[in-house]
Amino acid sequence: MKKKVATGLAFGRTAKPELAAQAVERAIEKSGIKSPTAVLLFLSAEFASDPESSIKAAAKAASCTQIIGCSATGIFTEEDWILDSPAAAAMIFDDTISLNVKKNKTHSELLMTLAAPSAMNSTWLSKPGLRFGGISGDAIGQGPFSVWENGKGATQGYCDIAFQNTKTAVAASHGLKRLSDPQKISKTDGYDLVQIDNMLAVNHLETAWQLLNKQTHDIPLHQIVAIYASNQTALLQNQYNVASIIACEET
């Protein structure tokens, strides 16, 4: 059965337009959608200074001009994520769903919004529409960024997109769910966490995951972070730092 929506992810050593095309092609292969009507395209920060060739490559692979997206510090789909390599993620839509870049909005309209940090101002935010989405940039809203719509750069620094022929709703995460009680870090090696409570960190994580979820499939690292603090009291008071888990392996 053909899907209405599908995603694709591609990464490599350098930021080449081929990655954008590969992400679209993989989404097409998964879905059976031969002629997408729109593509959400997200590129890693390495593409931010010159995304045009990659946008064109995605448009050619999808045979459509409705390419919408932005650059970001982390790229992910429901299957995986990439934090430390040039990457592209694409979500394609078939002809039953349309993505319209909105210029004239109504107050009740739900809009997916992508914006550069420099575009944030009270004049724009006070315009009609119920917005959700993200800011293109690094963790503190700075860094390299780029936003595009209709297959080219958004000169105003943001875009508002309405999903047509769909039922839409926005849900918010209420925070982190802990896999285990606080444990003492026993050994590290540079940025690698080696042991927790005198147990291999990878084994500790696997045990905690299985106990909580009663599951034995691969741990979804793109949904898990490590939280750490100088002492247990700080952790229990939610005064902690957060670190992404890039890889997980035996040492």
Side-chain angles (χ1 to χ4, degrees):
M1 181 179 178
K2 187 181 79 170
K3 297 180 180 179
K4 297 181 178 180
V5 180
T7 64
L9 183 68
F11 65 94
R13 294 183 177 180
T14 57
K16 294 183 177 181
E18 288 85 347
L19 294 180
Q22 289 171 14
V24 172
E25 290 165 355
R26 288 171 184 174
I28 291 174
E29 183 179 356
K30 286 166 54 177
S31 66
I33 301 173
K34 294 183 178 180
S35 300
T37 57
V39 178
L40 280 178
L41 175 70
F42 297 97
L43 302 174
S44 60
E46 291 87 353
F47 292 86
S49 61
D50 184 22
E52 294 296 330
S53 57
S54 297
I55 296 170
K56 291 178 181 179
K60 183 177 180 180
S63 298
C64 77
T65 59
Q66 188 63 298
I67 312 296
I68 302 165
C70 68
S71 60
T73 54
I75 302 297
F76 68 93
T77 67
E78 74 282 6
E79 295 181 345
D80 202 356
W81 71 346
I82 307 296
L83 287 176
D84 54 354
S85 299
M91 176 178 283
I92 64 171
F93 301 82
D94 74 358
D95 56 8
T96 64
I97 302 173
S98 62
L99 273 61
N100 293 331
V101 177
K102 301 291 290 187
K103 303 302 181 183
N104 299 311
K105 301 100 175 176
T106 63
H107 285 281
S108 60
E109 195 165 25
L110 192 61
L111 302 172
M112 188 185 80
T113 298
L114 303 172
S118 57
M120 300 294 291
N121 60 73
S122 58
T123 301
W124 167 53
L125 292 175
S126 64
K127 290 181 178 180
L130 303 175
R131 292 177 175 82
F132 70 99
I135 304 300
S136 172
D138 61 19
I140 58 174
Q142 303 298 320
F145 51 82
S146 183
V147 180
W148 46 85
E149 62 181 15
N150 297 325
K152 57 185 179 180
T155 56
Q156 71 277 17
Y158 69 87
C159 59
D160 289 324
I161 307 109
F163 290 78
Q164 304 294 327
N165 303 322
T166 62
K167 293 182 179 180
T168 55
V170 175
S173 169
H174 294 286
L176 301 174
K177 183 175 183 179
R178 292 179 180 166
L179 293 181
S180 67
D181 293 329
Q183 303 288 337
K184 184 178 180 179
I185 296 176
S186 306
K187 184 179 180 181
T188 61
D189 182 10
Y191 290 109
D192 294 336
L193 176 58
V194 181
Q195 290 186 353
I196 298 176
D197 197 24
N198 297 315
M199 178 180 179
L200 280 178
V202 62
N203 293 343
H204 188 281
L205 177 59
E206 290 173 346
T207 299
W209 171 250
Q210 293 172 13
L211 287 176
L212 181 69
N213 295 275
K214 309 299 182 184
Q215 299 170 352
T216 57
H217 61 72
D218 292 341
I219 300 173
L221 296 182
H222 62 293
Q223 296 177 356
I224 296 176
V225 295
I227 61 174
Y228 62 94
S230 57
N231 57 70
Q232 180 172 306
T233 301
L235 275 175
L236 295 177
Q237 293 176 348
N238 294 324
Q239 299 174 359
Y240 50 73
N241 297 300
V242 178
S244 299
I245 302 175
I246 304 300
C248 189
E249 59 185 24
E250 299 283 352
T251 57

